[in-house]
Amino acid sequence: MLVSAGLGVIVYATCYTAVYLYPWMSLSIFTVGVFLALSAIVAGTAAIFLEKYKQPPLSK
């Protein structure tokens, strides 16, 4: 989740700079950054739940 937060800051700074040079590129960078940040949050949340509700191994 820290990676997601760091990625969000980097994408925001990049978009803020790129909006003056290439507005459409800024929009695409923002879209990709939001997708990556949300996917990192979903993956982190899924990992937490999978670890919390892990089933014990079956004994023979």
Side-chain angles (χ1 to χ4, degrees):
M1 296 204 186
L2 292 175
V3 171
S4 177
L7 182 64
V9 170
I10 291 170
V11 167
Y12 179 75
T14 304
C15 288
Y16 189 78
T17 305
V19 75
Y20 294 109
L21 303 173
Y22 304 105
W24 289 107
M25 184 179 74
S26 175
L27 181 63
S28 63
I29 291 171
F30 179 74
T31 304
V32 170
V34 166
F35 174 74
L36 290 174
L38 288 176
S39 63
I41 290 171
V42 169
T45 305
I48 289 170
F49 280 115
L50 286 174
E51 186 64 30
K52 184 175 181 179
Y53 296 112
K54 184 170 53 173
Q55 296 292 327
L58 297 174
S59 60
K60 292 185 176 184

